[in-house]
Amino acid sequence: MTKEEKQKEIVKIQQSKGQLLASIEKVEKYLPLEDFKDYCDAIYTAVAYQDIILKAIRFPDMQDNVSDLYNIES
């Protein structure tokens, strides 16, 4: 992956993270408390995975270590 391709992927993932986090405020008024908690848990889980992917893109030499650390298969 070229430096430009990496940068494009990083921007896409960061935008996605921002949209996911922004959605929390938008849906809060439409969900009962327990459903909202579940929604937040799911969003934060997705954001955590995106952080792992960003780390793998930024530091490709550490990709195996990142996968092992979080017990994820490529």
Side-chain angles (χ1 to χ4, degrees):
M1 186 181 287
T2 68
K3 188 174 182 177
E4 287 179 7
E5 290 171 333
K6 283 182 184 182
Q7 189 58 37
K8 286 180 184 179
E9 288 300 312
I10 289 170
V11 168
K12 280 193 243 180
I13 293 170
Q14 288 173 332
Q15 288 173 340
S16 173
K17 281 177 54 177
Q19 290 170 347
L20 285 170
L21 292 172
S23 76
I24 290 173
E25 289 181 24
K26 294 176 185 174
V27 303
E28 182 176 13
K29 59 187 172 190
Y30 299 107
L31 296 174
L33 182 59
E34 284 304 311
D35 291 341
F36 180 67
K37 287 179 183 178
D38 290 342
Y39 182 83
C40 290
D41 285 344
I43 293 299
Y44 290 127
T45 298
V47 167
Y49 277 111
Q50 288 177 327
D51 286 339
I52 292 167
I53 293 166
L54 283 172
K55 192 173 214 174
I57 292 170
R58 288 183 176 131
F59 307 105
D61 295 340
M62 292 180 55
Q63 187 168 2
D64 290 336
N65 294 337
V66 170
S67 296
D68 291 342
L69 181 62
Y70 293 98
N71 202 14
I72 302 173
E73 294 184 22
S74 299

